[in-house]
Amino acid sequence: MSLRPTLETRRAQPTMEGAGVHLHRAFGFGDPSELDPFLLFDDFRNDDPALYAKGFPWHPHRGIETITYVLSGEVDHGDSLGNTGTLGAGDVQWMTAGSGIMHQEMPRGNAAGQMHGFQLWANLPSSLKMTAPRYQDVSASEIPEIVDDDGTRVRVIVGEFWGKRGPVDGIAADPQYLDISLPPGTKKTLPIDTYRRAFAYLFEGEAAFADASAPSGVLLEKEVAGEEVNIRDMSGNRTLIRFGTGDEITVQAGERGARFLLISGAPIQEPVAWHGPIVMNTREELLTAMTELRNGTFIKPAH
């Protein structure tokens, strides 16, 4: 087994999207090869409805898949195909935009006004850029949760982990999407397929991730370091951890425990031509999409 090195640790940055939704972006609109096949990751979390209630009005997508995971509050959604619905706490929606779709997402807080969720964009390979759009809406009750002997809890949203398989299937990037909670002080080694790009996003508590490239600085190994883990050396809320290659990661939770997403997928390794919510392979394809948006031919008839 080989431990994945930590290539980078960085905080998500505040930004605004939609009609004025305040959120934090962990990555997006940068180098698309960095976390190929993933393009963007947003953490939309707020206690003030004025900072999210205007939502994400009608907008297009083509050439990608969007994955929305709601932790608290609700998201009402509708699209140009006539689909409507509501995502509640713990629910997931995996939308394959394919050849093109217009949709809107309008968040609503819980009884206390709190709203929290994530959206991840995954690229589609050239062979599937113009596939027919489809949805997979998954309720919280359908997502398997594993509880290990040490109290570690893992929700398996996509992919297979510890003998359980998530309910979302048929995704081009063949991803693994896990929601992992560690009790205070728990150290855990978790497997990841060697051939996948991987990142973690820490959103509750604090944790340290072992770095194989700098073993002398690994504070996880108390028996080696001869000291307690220093919380100052741990990552905290809204932190992205980008990993190198290997087949496992090691993480230790701090004194308040830790909760993070662990996401990995098979790289597509194709050219990317990107403009907002439209991601194609060439500039010509991008220009075609923009022309179709203007002349009303963006949405393709169902076959």
Side-chain angles (χ1 to χ4, degrees):
M1 304 294 282
S2 61
L3 185 67
R4 284 181 177 243
T6 300
L7 297 181
E8 181 183 19
T9 300
R10 66 176 184 243
R11 295 292 299 274
Q13 296 300 306
T15 188
M16 278 199 300
E17 280 293 349
V21 177
H22 292 244
L23 51 81
H24 284 72
R25 178 159 293 154
F27 62 89
F29 301 110
D31 178 1
S33 68
E34 183 180 79
L35 282 165
D36 179 19
F38 306 113
L39 298 164
L40 175 146
F41 182 85
D42 283 344
D43 177 348
F44 53 96
R45 177 188 340 184
N46 216 295
D47 297 339
D48 182 358
L51 300 181
Y52 63 76
K54 292 183 179 178
F56 306 91
W58 292 101
H59 58 281
H61 281 295
R62 175 179 284 182
I64 63 173
E65 301 183 282
T66 65
I67 304 95
T68 305
Y69 179 27
V70 178
L71 292 185
S72 60
E74 296 180 332
V75 176
D76 295 328
H77 63 89
D79 67 30
S80 52
L81 304 177
N83 298 305
T84 60
T86 299
L87 299 175
D91 294 349
V92 173
Q93 180 188 82
W94 198 294
M95 183 187 78
T96 303
S99 61
I101 199 165
M102 300 288 293
H103 79 143
Q104 66 172 353
E105 298 152 304
M106 306 303 287
R108 288 186 284 124
N110 59 18
Q114 298 165 330
M115 178 70 219
H116 191 192
F118 305 107
Q119 188 165 92
L120 174 69
W121 292 8
N123 200 6
L124 282 169
S126 56
S127 60
L128 295 175
K129 288 286 189 193
M130 297 300 287
T131 191
R134 71 166 182 149
Y135 282 91
Q136 295 183 68
D137 283 347
V138 179
S139 67
S141 62
E142 297 176 74
I143 298 173
E145 182 172 271
I146 307 163
V147 183
D148 205 8
D149 293 342
D150 61 5
T152 298
R153 307 178 78 90
V154 181
R155 298 190 82 213
V156 186
I157 295 168
V158 188
E160 188 169 348
F161 189 77
W162 287 348
K164 297 286 187 180
R165 175 164 287 278
V168 180
D169 62 6
I171 303 303
D174 188 26
Q176 186 180 60
Y177 191 130
L178 309 173
D179 178 353
I180 300 173
S181 299
L182 299 180
T186 302
K187 186 173 82 172
K188 207 73 177 171
T189 296
L190 305 166
I192 303 180
D193 187 292
T194 307
Y195 300 102
R196 298 169 186 265
R197 293 267 170 79
F199 70 90
Y201 183 74
L202 182 64
F203 62 95
E204 284 182 16
E206 63 276 311
F209 290 81
D211 188 349
S213 64
S216 62
V218 174
L219 297 180
L220 299 176
E221 304 293 346
K222 293 183 184 179
E223 63 274 22
V224 173
E227 60 184 47
E228 291 298 307
V229 172
N230 189 332
I231 297 301
R232 290 178 304 162
D233 297 296
M234 289 193 159
S235 298
N237 184 22
R238 296 193 177 104
T239 300
L240 173 77
I241 301 94
R242 189 164 62 91
F243 300 108
T245 57
D247 52 21
E248 62 184 20
I249 66 164
T250 295
V251 56
Q252 180 164 337
E255 60 186 8
R256 295 186 295 117
R259 187 175 179 187
F260 61 95
L261 305 179
L262 182 60
I263 299 173
S264 61
I268 294 173
Q269 298 180 317
E270 291 182 353
V272 172
W274 189 353
H275 182 74
I278 299 173
V279 183
M280 304 303 289
N281 294 105
T282 67
R283 175 174 163 76
E284 290 71 26
E285 291 170 334
L286 201 56
L287 290 173
T288 296
M290 302 307 290
T291 299
E292 291 178 351
L293 263 178
R294 288 192 297 269
N295 66 23
T297 60
F298 184 78
I299 305 300
K300 305 304 178 186
H303 296 296

